[in-house]
Amino acid sequence: MKYLIFSTILVLTITFTYSQNYFQTVFGDENNKVGLLRTMQNSQNEYIMYGGFQKDTIRGAYIVRLSQEGVVLEEELKPIIDSIFVPFNIIQKNNNNYLLTSVIRATPNYQTNNFIVLSETDDDFNILTEKRIKFPLDTMYIYDMDVREINDNEILCYGNCRNDNYSWATFLYKLSTNGDSLLFKVLPDTGNSDLEVNSNKIYFMGPQWYNEISVYNYSNFELDTVVRLSETIGYPFGNMGFVEFLSDSTFVVYGEYPNLDENYVSVLLDTNFNVLFRNTNIGQSMVHGNTPQFNALDINNNNEILTAINYDYILNENCFLVTKTDNELNIIWEKFHEINHYRKTTWFSVYATNDGGCIMFGIDLGYNTSVAVKMAPNGNITHINGEPSDQKAKEIILYPNPATTELTIQKAVQVGNCNVEFYNIEGKKVFYQNLTNSTTKIDISSLQKGSYIYKI
């Protein structure tokens, strides 16, 4: 049994409180506006963050190296003289140098003067070479972009570009790591989505309809086939989708499952698009109707799949859910982590670590600073920004806090049937209810205003 205490903050409300470790800054100060765009794991199992910052009128890029626990080992802030500079990605080459990918949008005519910038640095982030590649579409500028490392000589850039009239296009752009333009193509549809390259094929989730996978030949960018996932697996995908290869012949796709009130579905397929395994319970314990954001996944050495989902469950309050599944998509566990409700954190990436756990990176929107959270194999937090933490993951969460008329209790998938009891400050039981569903709403309008203890 788990005992939880809540006490009154406002006289007219029932208020729940919990012990909370505040997420602190990794670097910089609260006056910096920081955007965490990409994070990568290098060959030494360290993590490199690469993004943009602004302090007063100074814009630039930052590079931060962290240990597996999120301890800052090295950081660089580089002021940029160009008017609009957007760092996008960082990869490690076979010689252990880093290749930084950025975009410059020159004003006032950034539709006709924007560039992709490739900067090669040594292991200490000293720039060795830098080349600007003119974006092939003169009337469009790059709005967002991602980069895939194909080999030590080639990278694949893809993303969205648009003009001032919000005309959109999705592009594929193959570049050499020396900055030579190799192949460019505008796709017929537009939208943010995910892709992977495997056996000279590009598996593109989308780009516009996320329940479709478009397969292109990497050598010439010609369309090979389009597979409608809703027809293959028997139900639709929606919202943003992710694709990740587990082996040369199998890959997993994730997406929203609209028929389950914004739950997520994971499907394992082979490269002939035969369905091997599926799971429609990912995020089943999420708050329905509040637009949860499935924003990260990674696969560890045991082919276990770690996914991260963050969402708002009431105004100004934030929570993220981490799920681990095996390679047959069976859920091993789900864990909730609550964040102080005076601050919001948006999570960008999750990486599996060698110990079977994971590390997550995000931005604290309240202070515009980065956040690194290391989790153990069981989902509990062990470090916050490099500092040891004993914060336990939650398998059950109760909200809002404070509450007036209704409470919601959510259980992780692995939690069986249980019940909740409320006690007043005199120790008298005033409420009892079984919790059989993943989400239970409780009417508390009949309870007197005050402080209560609840037991689950």
Side-chain angles (χ1 to χ4, degrees):
M1 292 187 299
K2 185 180 294 184
Y3 293 84
L4 302 163
I5 298 176
F6 59 91
S7 59
T8 300
I9 293 177
L10 300 176
V11 175
L12 300 180
T13 62
I14 300 174
T15 302
F16 298 84
T17 63
Y18 51 85
S19 175
Q20 176 66 54
N21 287 315
Y22 289 5
F23 289 179
Q24 304 298 324
T25 62
V26 168
F27 64 93
D29 58 51
E30 295 179 7
N31 296 318
N32 284 346
K33 294 182 179 180
V34 178
L36 178 58
L37 290 177
R38 294 293 184 269
T39 309
M40 60 88 64
Q41 186 175 17
N42 66 14
S43 57
Q44 292 78 41
N45 291 319
E46 302 165 334
Y47 298 93
I48 312 296
M49 298 192 303
Y50 180 48
F53 79 94
Q54 179 178 351
K55 184 174 183 179
D56 300 324
T57 60
I58 301 175
R59 294 175 181 264
Y62 66 79
I63 308 173
V64 180
R65 187 201 310 269
L66 303 102
S67 70
Q68 290 196 52
E69 292 76 30
V71 177
V72 175
L73 305 175
E74 183 179 4
E75 57 184 311
E76 297 283 344
L77 295 175
K78 299 180 180 297
I80 305 297
I81 60 174
D82 298 276
S83 55
I84 302 178
F85 179 87
V86 185
F88 269 110
N89 215 322
I90 180 170
I91 61 177
Q92 189 175 29
K93 302 179 66 175
N94 288 343
N95 60 4
N96 287 331
N97 289 347
Y98 294 99
L99 189 67
L100 313 181
T101 310
S102 312
V103 169
I104 288 178
R105 303 173 189 151
T107 56
N109 295 318
Y110 50 73
Q111 298 97 332
T112 58
N113 292 285
N114 60 110
F115 299 84
I116 295 175
V117 183
L118 298 183
S119 305
E120 184 172 349
T121 77
D122 61 18
D123 191 54
D124 293 322
F125 309 126
N126 299 304
I127 293 179
L128 304 176
T129 62
E130 186 169 281
K131 185 168 184 179
R132 299 187 180 191
I133 302 100
K134 183 75 169 58
F135 190 57
L137 295 181
D138 282 342
T139 60
M140 310 284 280
Y141 70 92
I142 297 174
Y143 182 77
D144 57 57
M145 186 176 72
D146 206 344
V147 181
R148 290 289 184 270
E149 180 183 13
I150 306 303
N151 52 55
D152 200 40
N153 299 313
E154 294 180 351
I155 61 173
L156 177 65
C157 303
Y158 70 97
N160 289 330
C161 53
R162 71 173 177 86
N163 59 25
D164 276 347
N165 295 323
Y166 288 91
S167 295
W168 293 87
T170 301
F171 66 90
L172 296 173
Y173 197 8
K174 187 191 306 184
L175 299 170
S176 75
T177 52
N178 294 324
D180 299 320
S181 296
L182 302 178
L183 189 60
F184 180 82
K185 182 169 185 172
V186 176
L187 304 184
D189 294 314
T190 60
N192 291 313
S193 197
D194 190 35
L195 67 76
E196 289 296 331
V197 179
N198 181 66
S199 299
N200 203 39
K201 301 285 187 180
I202 301 172
Y203 289 75
F204 203 141
M205 191 87 167
Q208 185 173 22
W209 305 107
Y210 301 124
N211 64 349
E212 291 182 349
I213 292 183
S214 303
V215 181
Y216 292 87
N217 292 307
Y218 175 74
S219 59
N220 57 15
F221 287 172
E222 292 300 318
L223 181 64
D224 183 280
T225 185
V226 177
V227 176
R228 174 79 45 105
L229 287 173
S230 57
E231 298 174 356
T232 301
I233 65 178
Y235 39 76
F237 268 51
N239 205 348
M240 183 71 172
F242 288 82
V243 56
E244 188 84 16
F245 272 83
L246 271 71
S247 69
D248 288 339
S249 60
T250 61
F251 63 96
V252 62
V253 293
Y254 282 77
E256 187 179 303
Y257 185 13
N259 292 356
L260 284 178
D261 294 328
E262 297 189 4
N263 281 9
Y264 286 85
V265 58
S266 58
V267 182
L268 183 67
L269 305 103
D270 62 24
T271 49
N272 294 318
F273 292 93
N274 298 306
V275 176
L276 305 178
F277 302 101
R278 70 186 78 196
N279 190 321
T280 59
N281 293 320
I282 301 295
Q284 184 177 351
S285 50
M286 305 274 296
V287 176
H288 302 311
N290 283 356
T291 316
Q293 180 184 3
F294 182 21
N295 59 347
L297 66 90
D298 195 25
I299 299 170
N300 65 20
N301 294 334
N302 297 321
N303 265 2
E304 296 171 331
I305 305 165
L306 292 146
T307 64
I309 307 171
N310 67 269
Y311 60 97
D312 297 337
Y313 50 71
I314 61 172
L315 184 64
N316 293 327
E317 206 156 338
N318 186 276
C319 177
F320 67 88
L321 175 73
V322 180
T323 302
K324 179 187 281 191
T325 67
D326 62 22
N327 58 9
E328 296 182 356
L329 306 184
N330 300 303
I331 294 177
I332 300 172
W333 50 251
E334 286 185 339
K335 296 294 177 71
F336 297 101
H337 291 285
E338 293 176 294
I339 300 169
N340 179 270
H341 66 274
Y342 295 108
R343 304 167 71 168
K344 281 189 174 183
T345 301
T346 296
W347 302 98
F348 286 85
S349 56
V350 60
Y351 286 93
T353 49
N354 291 338
D355 61 1
C358 61
I359 187 167
M360 289 183 62
F361 298 96
I363 284 290
D364 183 330
L365 300 180
Y367 293 98
N368 290 305
T369 51
S370 63
V371 179
V373 178
K374 173 68 176 68
M375 279 168 277
N378 62 3
N380 288 332
I381 291 178
T382 62
H383 293 79
I384 299 176
N385 293 343
E387 295 295 328
S389 171
D390 58 357
Q391 182 172 320
K392 304 298 182 185
K394 297 176 182 292
E395 297 186 342
I396 299 176
I397 58 173
L398 187 153
Y399 60 89
N401 177 16
T404 54
T405 60
E406 185 180 75
L407 291 170
T408 299
I409 299 178
Q410 288 181 248
K411 302 188 303 180
V413 168
Q414 69 269 17
V415 176
N417 292 337
C418 54
N419 58 68
V420 61
E421 300 171 350
F422 290 178
Y423 297 83
N424 62 21
I425 57 176
E426 297 174 349
K428 180 181 178 180
K429 184 191 297 186
V430 296
F431 181 85
Y432 172 92
Q433 182 167 329
N434 288 320
L435 304 175
T436 57
N437 299 322
S438 60
T439 301
T440 303
K441 294 185 181 295
I442 298 176
D443 182 3
I444 59 171
S445 59
S446 62
L447 294 179
Q448 294 183 354
K449 302 161 188 174
S451 302
Y452 293 83
I453 297 172
Y454 71 89
K455 180 176 73 172
I456 296 177

